[in-house]
Amino acid sequence: MKILLCFGTRPEAIKMAPLYHELKKTNFQVKVCVTAQHREMLDQVLGFFEIIPEYDLDLMQPNQTLNGLSATILSKIDFVLNKEKPNLVIVHGDTTTSSMVALAAFHQGIKVGHVEAGLRTYNKKSPFPEEINRQLTSRLADIHFTPTYLATQNLLNEGVLQKNIIETGNTVIDALFWTLSKIEMPNYINPEIEKLTKSIPLNKKIILVTGHRRENFGHGFENLCKALLKISEREDVTIVYPVHLNPNVKEIVYNQLSKKENIHLITPVSYPAFVWLMKQSYLIVTDSGGIQEEAPSLGKPIIVTRTVSERPEGVTSGHSILVGTDEKKIIESIVAILNKDLIYENKNNPYGNGDAAQQILKYLLDND
Ligand code: UDP
């Protein structure tokens, strides 16, 4: 069987890496095509996970509209599909790359596998455009690899046949465990981690912050910054914030936070350095999906700066709190966690246990 893996962003690359390495152990012919929707951050991940794509569509353009991006993906991926003629195209998650590549494969009569299928908010506007991307991809896909029971139920409720759904857990946990095993090796040396060790006071409670969602552009990020300014007045904390490269995020965050001594604004770090930072942190404030999935395995509480999440499992299990982007609510929840000295003992991660890629592979081998 010839398989083409297609992805475009940092989180997709992290989550596809374990599957790529499993597939490479087999006799399947495996090719990788990246659209490079997020150029620099994607390249960091490809390097760390040693993925060398056969095709790089290099689509990132400044101020690109979603329609422009969609049209370019559709037109450029055709060449790859015609040349490779894969039996199966595997896409991931909820990006424009996932939905457009799935559509292009469908138009050519090529089977589509969807990793991290079935996540839903059922709110077209939130997250925008991710919810529609994942719903579109589900309509186009032939095989759905779901991370959780809830995701499976969502697809069953939408009429997807049980035989086409394989519940595997999330491959991000595989990537996380693999990375932990690397960075915990006694002789592991990483210049980025060394630099962070020197610049961040590790004796303080580290609040790790990230954010990138379109729904939070503008007011959302402004409020988050105000809340962080207030929290930074405490002497027992230090805030570490790898700022997303999107100008809609970068400008607000640097304008508001760059002058505070105990707020460390840094450029996005490589995956091993970020995993190290998560390990050092006391709590994490984020709107990221992947981090909501990873943090429970490290026992770190997460404050989610969104009002709705397609990942309710972590809220139910008590690992994450949804607070939205109200300044007061963000401050209150951070203070509550800091003051209670709350450390999660529960490391039972609702998103998976690290063997998702193996399960996907098993299905593909059994159904070759
Ligand atoms: N991450 C990283 N470097 C950073 C920030 C995050 O490698 O500076 C990783 C993080 O561990 C997670 C993924 O990137 O696996 C999350 O990406 P993002 O928040 O951009 O997207 P989402 O998960 O919301 O799709």
Side-chain angles (χ1 to χ4, degrees):
M1 178 156 61
K2 190 171 198 176
I3 300 177
L4 180 71
L5 299 179
C6 272
F7 48 89
T9 64
R10 169 179 69 189
E12 287 176 289
I14 293 170
K15 290 171 167 182
M16 287 291 235
L19 179 59
Y20 169 80
H21 286 290
E22 286 300 323
L23 289 170
K24 280 286 189 186
K25 292 179 198 158
T26 68
N27 290 329
F28 291 143
Q29 278 189 63
V30 184
K31 298 278 166 96
V32 173
C33 173
V34 294
T35 60
Q37 220 182 299
H38 289 171
R39 176 83 269 166
E40 291 164 64
M41 295 192 291
L42 174 75
D43 288 348
Q44 274 183 338
V45 180
L46 295 177
F48 176 66
F49 285 105
E50 296 174 13
I51 300 174
I52 302 166
E54 279 77 13
Y55 298 92
D56 187 337
L57 304 186
D58 198 16
L59 298 185
M60 192 169 162
Q61 299 283 340
N63 304 319
Q64 183 152 241
T65 64
L66 288 174
N67 284 337
L69 175 65
S70 304
T72 319
I73 295 172
L74 275 176
S75 65
K76 292 212 172 172
I77 196 72
D78 241 8
F79 165 79
V80 181
L81 297 178
N82 284 331
K83 185 146 182 256
E84 292 298 336
K85 301 204 178 334
N87 308 96
L88 177 68
V89 170
I90 303 186
V91 294
H92 181 278
D94 57 18
T95 62
T96 308
T97 295
S98 329
S99 59
M100 289 305 111
V101 169
L103 181 61
F106 167 79
H107 285 155
Q108 293 217 18
I110 300 166
K111 272 192 167 185
V112 175
H114 186 201
V115 178
E116 199 183 81
L119 273 61
R120 294 289 184 268
T121 60
Y122 291 112
N123 173 350
K124 256 183 168 175
K125 291 192 182 145
S126 182
F128 172 84
E130 291 92 333
E131 177 68 12
I132 286 301
N133 282 335
R134 58 171 89 100
Q135 291 201 25
L136 273 175
T137 310
S138 291
R139 295 293 74 80
L140 295 160
D142 300 277
I143 318 163
H144 311 255
F145 300 103
T146 57
T148 62
Y149 172 79
L150 268 181
T152 301
Q153 294 310 306
N154 289 336
L155 292 179
L156 289 173
N157 292 337
E158 291 171 18
V160 177
L161 298 181
Q162 178 85 66
K163 70 177 173 63
N164 297 328
I165 305 175
I166 302 91
E167 195 174 303
T168 60
N170 198 309
T171 51
V172 80
I173 311 302
D174 311 19
L176 175 70
F177 287 166
W178 187 81
T179 305
L180 278 171
S181 71
K182 273 208 134 179
I183 67 174
E184 281 166 0
M185 275 172 7
N187 53 355
Y188 181 74
I189 297 173
N190 180 318
E192 239 180 314
I193 297 178
E194 308 239 311
K195 203 171 144 204
L196 289 168
T197 311
K198 286 185 192 133
S199 59
I200 297 168
L202 297 174
N203 55 343
K204 298 217 178 171
K205 290 178 179 169
I206 293 177
I207 303 178
L208 180 61
V209 184
T210 80
H212 68 88
R213 297 224 174 241
R214 271 171 197 260
E215 68 197 32
N216 288 340
F217 288 178
H219 281 319
F221 279 98
E222 273 165 18
N223 289 347
L224 169 66
C225 290
K226 284 184 201 152
L228 295 175
L229 274 177
K230 191 89 199 132
I231 292 293
S232 72
E233 287 165 12
R234 287 177 63 123
E235 296 209 333
D236 59 337
V237 303
T238 191
I239 295 170
V240 181
Y241 188 166
V243 185
H244 201 273
L245 297 178
N246 188 314
N248 293 293
V249 179
K250 234 171 119 175
E251 277 166 25
I252 296 180
V253 174
Y254 275 93
N255 278 343
Q256 298 210 28
L257 302 182
S258 52
K259 294 201 177 74
K260 284 294 273 189
E261 203 183 306
N262 67 339
I263 300 184
H264 300 263
L265 301 182
I266 54 178
T267 50
V269 293
S270 68
Y271 190 58
F274 193 75
V275 170
W276 180 86
L277 273 175
M278 285 196 286
K279 266 191 77 181
Q280 306 305 317
S281 68
Y282 190 84
L283 71 96
I284 304 174
V285 181
T286 189
D287 64 17
S288 157
I291 298 170
Q292 284 176 65
E293 294 155 348
E294 292 162 335
S297 289
L298 300 166
K300 306 296 176 181
I302 316 138
I303 292 174
V304 183
T305 48
R306 300 182 58 198
T307 46
V308 62
S309 174
E310 59 290 318
R311 294 167 171 87
E313 296 89 346
V315 179
T316 310
S317 65
H319 291 95
S320 41
I321 321 171
L322 283 181
V323 299
T325 52
D326 180 79
E327 180 190 342
K328 210 165 141 237
K329 281 196 191 146
I330 299 175
I331 295 173
E332 277 167 10
S333 50
I334 294 179
V335 170
I337 293 177
L338 290 174
N339 287 357
K340 269 193 246 154
D341 270 9
L342 184 64
I343 297 171
Y344 287 104
E345 294 303 334
N346 179 6
K347 289 206 178 171
N348 208 351
N349 190 331
Y351 299 107
N353 54 20
D355 63 357
Q358 277 173 27
Q359 291 195 49
I360 296 172
L361 180 69
K362 182 174 180 317
Y363 172 87
L364 294 175
L365 287 170
D366 290 348
N367 292 276
D368 187 16

